[in-house]
Amino acid sequence: MQHETANQHAGARPPVLEVRDLRKKFGGLRALDGCSLSVEEGTITGLIGPNGAGKTTLFNAITGFFRPDSGRVLTDGHDITSLPPHRVFRRGICRTFQIPREHGTMTVLENLMLVAPDQAGERFWNCWFRPGLVRRQEREIRDRAMEVLEFVDLARLSDEYAGRLSGGQKKLLELARTLMARPRLVLLDEPAAGVNRTLMKKLAENIEYLRRERGITFLLIEHDMDLVMHLCDPVIVMSEGRHLMQGHPEDVRSDPRVLEAYLGGQYGARDGGGNGGRHGAA
């Protein structure tokens, strides 16, 4: 599926996300080694690469969970490199995790209501002196949460404990939680992992709808090449902590550098050569 970027004709507007020469070491391991890339507004950009390429470390550096050793992260031209996660979140950048991090002892609905920003009830004096405001806002948040659950087809499970959901349902819940924050950019870490084909199709449809109708930009890490080829344009390839190439899905799939990154010496050394069949479609 080929997408026309929303800012294709917008002149010199800066990218919604730009990473410049990002470096991060853990002991002797260079997880990011001068990584530079950009994500244009209104795209669904795929981020692929063999295990150990630095993809999740990059997500952690962008969202403030890791502080890079050097380099810069910018959104709309503004430097956010040193911001903690909660301030990156307030900039409209949200992420999901490869392993969902739901609050298992809270209901599905409560998981969503918790995310809504700037809640008056978070300030205890409002509960005493402005209870009407708190109640009114809570009703509004609840109504919005139910709308989001309807969108991801989880409304029937609104009163179920989140910890009891299936793996695929938890991935949909992760997406729903990001939507409660009204994001501009969503970083998805392997949204298809552990998801059956029916739920994966629903997830892909939701992502495409949100890009097209709500103008949300997506950057997603994914190993399922069928999903990448169907959903993403452009596709960025990482290898050994660096940006290897970027292009349309078909061009990336047939590029010799990509085949070498997945099937060559680096992949065999890091993964013991045992997982090549999983990634060989790239």
Side-chain angles (χ1 to χ4, degrees), residues 71-117:
R72 301 173 68 197
V73 179
L74 302 98
T75 180
D76 300 317
H78 300 287
D79 195 328
I80 63 169
T81 312
S82 61
L83 296 184
H86 71 276
R87 293 188 60 189
V88 175
F89 174 83
R90 288 182 179 275
R91 292 270 184 164
I93 300 177
C94 299
R95 67 162 302 175
T96 66
F97 293 86
Q98 185 176 347
I99 300 174
R101 298 188 176 186
E102 77 285 348
H103 299 284
T105 58
M106 300 176 69
T107 68
V108 169
L109 179 61
E110 289 167 344
N111 267 263
L112 265 65
M113 293 181 67
L114 187 66
V115 176

Side-chain angles (χ1 to χ4, degrees), residues 139-153:
R139 285 195 299 271
E140 292 170 354
I141 291 171
R142 181 185 179 88
D143 290 345
R144 182 159 178 266
M146 287 303 301
E147 290 176 4
V148 172
L149 289 176
E150 288 281 358
F151 174 71
V152 298
D153 198 26

